[in-house]
Amino acid sequence: MPVYIRGVGLTKVSEYWKKSIYDLVVEAGLEALDSSGIDPSEIDRIYVANALGQYINRQGHLGAYVADALGLLNTGAVRVEGTGASGSMAVYLGYKDLLAGAENILVLGVEKMTDVLPTHVYTARSLAEDWSYLTSIGTTFEGLEAILYRLYMKRYNVDQEKIAMLSVISHSHAEGVKHAQFPRKINLESVMRSPIIADPLHLLEIPAPCDGAAAVVLSKKGNVKIDAVEMSTDEFRVFEREDPLWLDAVHDSMKKALANAKLGINEIDFVELYDVSTILGVLELEAMGFADKGKGVELISEEMIGLNGKIPVNTFGGLKARGDPMGATAIYQIIEIYKQLIGEADRSQIDNAKIGLSLSLGGLGNTAVISILSRK
Amino acid sequence: MPVYIRGVGLTKVSEYWKKSIYDLVVEAGLEALDSSGIDPSEIDRIYVANALGQYINRQGHLGAYVADALGLLNTGAVRVEGTGASGSMAVYLGYKDLLAGAENILVLGVEKMTDVLPTHVYTARSLAEDWSYLTSIGTTFEGLEAILYRLYMKRYNVDQEKIAMLSVISHSHAEGVKHAQFPRKINLESVMRSPIIADPLHLLEIPAPCDGAAAVVLSKKGNVKIDAVEMSTDEFRVFEREDPLWLDAVHDSMKKALANAKLGINEIDFVELYDVSTILGVLELEAMGFADKGKGVELISEEMIGLNGKIPVNTFGGLKARGDPMGATAIYQIIEIYKQLIGEADRSQIDNAKIGLSLSLGGLGNTAVISILSRK
Amino acid sequence: MIHRIPDYWRNLPVYLQLKGSVCKKCGAKYFPPRKICPKCGSRELEVYDLPRRGKLLSWTVIRYPAKEFEKFSPYVVGLIELEDGVRLIAQITDVKEDELKFGMELRATVRRAFEEGEDGIVRYTYKFVPI
Amino acid sequence: MIHRIPDYWRNLPVYLQLKGSVCKKCGAKYFPPRKICPKCGSRELEVYDLPRRGKLLSWTVIRYPAKEFEKFSPYVVGLIELEDGVRLIAQITDVKEDELKFGMELRATVRRAFEEGEDGIVRYTYKFVPI
Ligand SMILES: [Zn+2]
Ligand SMILES: [Zn+2]
């Protein structure tokens, strides 16, 4: 029994000083419900993805919170947390709930980070990693990315510019995108001149703190089909992995998802990466199988991953330019694939979009989730 | 296609200064896996219930964390948070995942509260409630319970002793229970003389901070069947409800669960309440339909809810005496029902245990989950 | 201590002026203001000024508060029904514990809620006092 | 700031003495110590003393740390491979940034990690220094 996306809704990713979690939830939730054409009372369950609310906003229990905000009482509602992968986990749960007999499921992701200083956001991101042996000894999430970055450049003898270029390409795809946090081009020089967060990682190679909410209605009817949602995990501490530059959870979830969807990797028309940094984007392309080990960097060009490239990537700007409201990010990705597949991607539209794939990560690939969607 | 409980594991509920989340997870997880008789590699997915880790332990992403701790890499793993209802939500998700085609699911709940001072635990409990209009103006979770308590006594003209008695009965059921935090009797006088947390609520009417982990393996084979797991929500802020003493999410999830299991309330042999305070236990009995409004207090006697009573309640001590390691609590409840149904409840064993029911709450009934299990 | 200034600032009109919302379709009234009416599903609600008087339905004395309220403990928190039937929970101040009574008349005022952290950022909110 | 003293205290043997674990069945070695071997599933692992020397595989300079590390910023964190092949991540100290080299020899030492909150509770941990 196929499961479809029947309605979608999102807020622009931004810094919303005047909007609360409540405001964002209502905006995205109602848009998704309205576009689905079903009555809110027909929603069987609500899955809410949120990464940082208990730390940043002192607000937990967002399942019931969202149900209440949308005026949907007596509804089952569950909050899911897998840091950056929260949103795709929520889609996974909604998908399974439908397969188990539900009729209509609302999946909503929300994150409100900008109520606190950026230093707290950096700290919050590290909740995804081991407290006792990474965070509490002074390691940040960005620091871990930077260590992998330097290792990659050394092992494969690659210039940083070739990796940082992913940020430039992603930004070019976000130009004019209404829901993007940074809907404008940037050049490589400005990336390389931006402040260093953790050497060699620059500020313009990672997402900025932001807020946003996105929602999809899953149903037995619709115009975009879910072909597969598959999850996998890896060693929780990156330093323990046989090769720290190999994202095995990405590799494993990709393998499972393609098998489940009965597709070959060449049949994927475009990809939404989880570019929580430029270097992670490169490692993801390798682990997914789009490039050999050490060769992912060769894909980072307009010809390869541009909107008219061989395998378009981050068609609305990815985490860097569309923005990364953590718990909601994977749902933005799903909605972007939806828009491509129904031909409503505006300036980001690629030709012949029939099958789209998104990847999301929890931590440094501690979790990976692959979703594959296709036009009905 | 029926879903069964195939293996269970738990730690004693206690204050574990020498054990970490890792230690607790491994202890409960391995016991559940071993008792199920299936090979760990046959686990398709792991659902991890945890309420407070991001706030208290600075550790999020517990899905992947638990998979790693158990040595199960390349497994799908999801953390679920619905405060006190986290554990039963995780059971719900595992149940649906099996109905959607999975073979074996590990559901694990863990909470490690005693690494911080009790004041932080009280604060953490209030994450379940609205930050902007309750917590940030000075209301605690226990304070809300206390307000309902006073209202109940006034409206129904009831003495506090009659309500506080629930704590005494629960403790008497925990006597000698190996996994209980407080395996001993207490008397009504000591309850009424214990310090007041929030007038009129006494310290010995609510659970104490504690740690624990519990796990169940769900499968297509087993000796205890899941008849229903149903969730519902209510207005998120208790003061908005038409009657703040009526737990409508409890009422609604009970109705759905009985319908789903094709059972009448009289067919339920025993009940695990979510006695996050004595007064909540009373309100739950009313909302579930075991007593009329204002009459729940009449059930609080050995004759009615004792182990040999009409409808035995909290057969291993409930939240007060077995303990309330929040994210794990609902899984302890499920395991206790399992033990009753297979006749391995030791001193807590009731006669003719064929159908058991557990209730868990997120916040003050913002969420309610009812699970019904039966002997195969 | 993490400061959440924007959250406080967004809620200031509600904290200082007690705003609710009323459903234009079914007339249901809400505090805090809502954008969707749970009773009828309508999205046409408008903000209105809540009555600033009400009566006490129940109360407690908080003795183990969250960290930022420790210096104010013990303090009274009550469930209040405003004159138009809308309910809320608020601190009750300028009153001795043994003076509290079911049904007692109260009025809203603005007081200090708490100070955040070392920097001593002060937050204000509604509290109720006897009339 | 929430103190997590028991967590620190539990990990002290590992922090101060660098303990790992080795699988008695397949010989795999782990840091931090594990109770189950992900490679072979064995539960027979024993704690052992890790070598206190290793070489630098990669590193970074943390410029935007968590609150409790702000006063130490910037500082160096590196990926280190110990003499028996076990890897870990640790702060590298007593070294200038431009002296850091791939493969450089390091040894473990115990240093202050950070001070928690106003009460100034001091935590110690392993850090590595050049040999
Ligand atoms: Zn209405
Ligand atoms: Zn081994």
Side-chain angles (χ1 to χ4, degrees), chain A residues 83-85 272-277 280-281 284 314 319 324 326-327 329-330 333 359-363:
Chain A
T83 71
E272 296 303 324
L273 288 177
Y274 204 77
D275 52 312
V276 66
S277 65
L280 261 289
E284 292 161 10
N314 293 351
L319 273 61
D324 178 24
M326 279 182 78
T329 301
Q333 293 177 311
L359 165 67
S360 60
L361 298 190

Side-chain angles (χ1 to χ4, degrees), chain A residues 16-23 26 30-31 33-34 40 54-58 68-73 112 114-117 120, chain C residues 1-11 21 32-41 43 45 66-69 114 116 119:
Chain A
Y16 287 112
W17 282 54
K18 293 192 176 173
K19 291 186 183 182
S20 65
I21 290 180
Y22 176 87
D23 298 321
V26 166
L30 289 185
E31 188 181 328
L33 289 167
D34 289 350
Q54 288 188 294
Y55 185 79
I56 285 188
N57 314 101
R58 273 259 209 124
D68 172 88
L70 294 173
L72 296 171
L73 306 179
K112 183 83 187 74
T114 67
D115 281 4
V116 299
L117 295 173
H120 293 303
Chain C
M1 183 65 59
I2 299 182
H3 305 303
R4 294 172 189 81
I5 307 297
D7 174 80
Y8 170 61
W9 178 79
R10 277 192 302 270
N11 286 311
S21 65
R34 285 179 178 272
K35 293 182 167 180
I36 306 168
C37 176
K39 294 213 172 57
C40 76
R43 297 170 196 177
L45 292 95
K67 197 83 184 165
E68 53 274 51
F69 289 94
F114 64 87
E116 278 195 291
D119 311 350

Side-chain angles (χ1 to χ4, degrees), chain B residues 22 34 56 58 68 115, chain D residues 4 10 34-35 43 68:
Chain B
Y22 176 88
D34 288 350
I56 285 188
R58 275 260 210 126
D68 173 88
D115 281 4
Chain D
R4 295 173 187 80
R10 276 192 303 269
R34 286 179 177 272
K35 294 181 168 182
R43 297 170 195 176
E68 54 273 50

Side-chain angles (χ1 to χ4, degrees), chain A residues 234 241 244-251 280 283-284 287 361 364-365:
Chain A
D234 199 350
R241 297 175 195 160
L245 295 181
W246 179 249
L247 300 172
D248 200 54
V250 173
H251 178 74
L280 261 289
L283 297 180
E284 292 161 10
L361 298 190
L364 269 176

Side-chain angles (χ1 to χ4, degrees), chain C residues 23 25-28 30 37 39-42:
Chain C
C23 177
K25 194 171 158 200
C26 78
Y30 298 102
C37 176
K39 294 213 172 57
C40 76
S42 164

Side-chain angles (χ1 to χ4, degrees), chain C residues 12-106:
Chain C
L12 260 187
V14 182
Y15 290 155
L16 303 191
Q17 298 154 42
L18 275 190
K19 301 284 186 186
S21 65
V22 55
C23 177
K24 288 164 103 170
K25 194 171 158 200
C26 78
K29 291 174 174 173
Y30 298 102
F31 175 85
R34 285 179 178 272
K35 293 182 167 180
I36 306 168
C37 176
K39 294 213 172 57
C40 76
S42 164
R43 297 170 196 177
E44 306 235 345
L45 292 95
E46 60 187 16
V47 172
Y48 79 110
D49 289 319
L50 289 167
R52 301 185 66 86
R53 285 167 172 255
K55 60 177 199 236
L56 186 61
L57 299 184
S58 184
W59 69 93
T60 187
V61 184
I62 306 270
R63 297 178 191 280
Y64 294 86
K67 197 83 184 165
E68 53 274 51
F69 289 94
E70 269 178 355
K71 71 169 77 162
F72 305 105
S73 166
Y75 54 89
V76 178
V77 168
L79 174 63
I80 297 149
E81 186 168 296
L82 301 176
E83 284 174 346
D84 67 354
V86 170
R87 276 184 253 115
L88 51 74
I89 277 179
Q91 287 192 35
I92 299 168
T93 192
D94 296 357
V95 64
K96 294 198 183 102
E97 279 179 44
D98 57 10
E99 292 168 355
L100 293 162
K101 281 194 204 61
F102 289 101
M104 79 186 287
E105 303 274 327
L106 301 167

Side-chain angles (χ1 to χ4, degrees), chain B residues 1-21:
Chain B
M1 190 208 64
V3 173
Y4 297 94
I5 294 179
R6 185 162 168 173
V8 306
L10 46 70
T11 72
K12 176 178 160 73
V13 180
S14 189
E15 297 185 42
Y16 287 112
W17 282 54
K18 292 192 178 174
K19 290 185 183 183
S20 64
I21 291 180

